[in-house]
Amino acid sequence: MTAKTALPEIYVSTDVETDGPVAGRHSMLSIGSAAYAPDKTLLGTFSANLETVPGLMADEHTAKWWATQPAAWAACRLDQEAPAAAMRRYVAWLKALPGRPVFVAYPAAFDFPFVQWYLDSYADENPFGYAVIDIKTYAMAVLRRPYRACGKQAMPADWFDPAPHTHVALDDALEQGALFCNMLAANLARR
């Protein structure tokens, strides 16, 4: 076993806010990550609001949704950074974690493509590689139910910590990270 594989996994719960549904066509407005040890110890957080990418256009339907979320919109437009600066800072933060980062999201199919595109475009590296966990897929395995029957409404109440879902990237990353760690503990307890 090499030293690299001996490092513990760090679950990096990540949420992004965007101006459309497609990475590379639409801009990531905000990223929030919360790094958790498997025992739910919060090891650190990262957040950044990003400037939009020149040449990428906002999606009309997403803009209409943002109009219904004025507080979250205002939060993701504060203190904007150039994408290159933010993503280099993100890579440095990921590399400083005491283990190997695993990307965790709900749904990972939305969040990871944006993070991957921004890392590849602006930081020239992706510390996650393709180590990605989708929370709903993990729920499918733990609950032993079909994927479409594993939404949050089907999950046990004790998997949820009292945390708001605000559409502010870091808040939502903390919320879903705690959810994932609670699922992990429930799964391990069944062994």
Side-chain angles (χ1 to χ4, degrees):
M1 184 181 312
T2 66
K4 188 169 186 164
T5 58
L7 291 173
E9 289 185 337
I10 306 297
Y11 299 109
V12 182
S13 172
T14 302
D15 183 73
V16 303
E17 301 299 334
T18 71
D19 66 6
V22 182
R25 186 183 302 167
H26 307 292
S27 292
M28 182 166 66
L29 304 174
S30 183
I31 180 173
S33 288
Y36 286 93
D39 67 0
K40 201 169 135 183
T41 300
L42 181 63
L43 301 172
T45 62
F46 177 91
S47 65
N49 292 333
L50 287 75
E51 298 168 355
T52 57
V53 176
L56 302 186
M57 302 298 295
D59 173 68
E60 173 185 339
H61 299 292
T62 305
K64 287 178 182 175
W65 178 84
W66 274 117
T68 70
Q69 305 293 321
W73 176 258
C76 79
R77 299 295 71 210
L78 290 173
D79 303 321
Q80 297 173 39
E81 294 181 59
M87 299 319 289
R88 284 192 301 267
R89 202 165 56 81
Y90 188 52
V91 167
W93 177 78
L94 289 168
K95 287 182 169 183
L97 293 173
R100 299 177 72 197
V102 176
F103 188 95
V104 176
Y106 190 118
F110 179 83
D111 297 275
F112 186 69
F114 276 95
V115 173
Q116 180 184 26
W117 190 87
Y118 272 75
L119 286 170
D120 290 344
S121 297
Y122 296 107
D124 295 325
E125 63 179 305
N126 176 356
F128 296 110
Y130 292 97
V132 179
I133 296 173
D134 176 70
I135 292 174
K136 188 172 174 181
T137 304
Y138 191 69
M140 175 187 177
V142 176
L143 295 172
R144 298 182 178 142
R145 294 183 188 159
Y147 179 81
R148 293 191 186 276
C150 292
K152 289 183 180 180
Q153 71 282 359
M155 296 177 187
D158 62 351
W159 285 5
F160 295 91
D161 287 2
H165 189 80
T166 63
H167 300 296
V168 173
L170 183 55
D171 290 349
D172 293 354
L174 288 160
E175 174 199 25
Q176 72 185 18
L179 169 63
F180 174 75
C181 288
N182 292 338
M183 293 168 62
L184 186 63
N187 193 33
L188 294 174
R190 294 188 334 186
R191 290 184 181 176

